[in-house]
Amino acid sequence: TEVNEENIEYYLGSDDILYEEALASESGVGSIAHSVVLLRASDGADIEAIKKEIKENVDPRKWICVGVEEDDVIVKNKGNLIILIMVEDEKSRETLEEGFDNL
C-alpha cells in the first residue's frame, strides 16, 4: 500500500513526517499483527528525529484483536531509508530486520 497524506498517521503514528515515498505491508485479514513500512526520507531530513517521532507515536495495538508489545516495535535506518517493523511473530520480525540490515 502506498503511504500518503490520508493514511500516514495510521501507518506511522504521525502526519508530521517529511518523506519522499513510503510503502506499507499489513495483513488484511487474520489474527496476526503484521505491519512493515519502508520510508524514504526527504533529502536533508533529520533521520533520528523521524525515527523518534515514529517510535513514540505509532500504535502497536492498532488492530482490533491483536497487537505487538512496544518493546517489539523496530524503527531503524540505512541512510535515508527508514523501516518500521511491527510483527507479532519473533522469528518473522527478526528475519525482516536481518533482511533490512543486509541491504
Side-chain angles (χ1 to χ4, degrees):
T1 303
E2 184 177 343
V3 176
N4 57 42
E5 63 186 35
E6 295 175 8
N7 62 19
I8 188 170
E9 193 164 354
Y10 173 78
Y11 287 115
L12 295 172
S14 173
D15 60 3
D16 193 30
I17 296 171
L18 297 176
Y19 68 101
E20 293 294 322
E21 58 187 339
L23 295 174
S25 173
E26 287 200 354
S27 174
V29 293
S31 60
I32 298 172
H34 175 92
S35 181
V36 179
V37 181
L38 184 62
L39 174 140
R40 184 181 315 276
S42 299
D43 289 337
D46 185 340
I47 302 298
E48 292 304 315
I50 292 172
K51 289 174 18 184
K52 182 178 184 215
E53 179 84 11
I54 293 169
K55 183 77 171 176
E56 290 179 353
N57 292 292
V58 73
D59 182 3
R61 305 229 21 109
K62 65 183 177 178
W63 304 278
I64 295 170
C65 299
V66 295
V68 174
E69 297 299 321
E70 288 192 28
D71 291 342
D72 294 330
V73 174
I74 298 167
V75 181
K76 59 191 332 183
N77 74 291
K78 288 195 103 171
N80 71 335
L81 287 178
I82 299 172
I83 194 165
L84 164 64
I85 302 170
M86 294 193 302
V87 177
E88 183 177 33
D89 177 65
E90 181 178 1
K91 176 116 175 94
S92 296
R93 189 173 55 249
E94 290 172 353
T95 299
L96 288 163
E97 184 175 11
E98 183 179 311
F100 182 75
D101 290 342
N102 289 329
L103 287 177

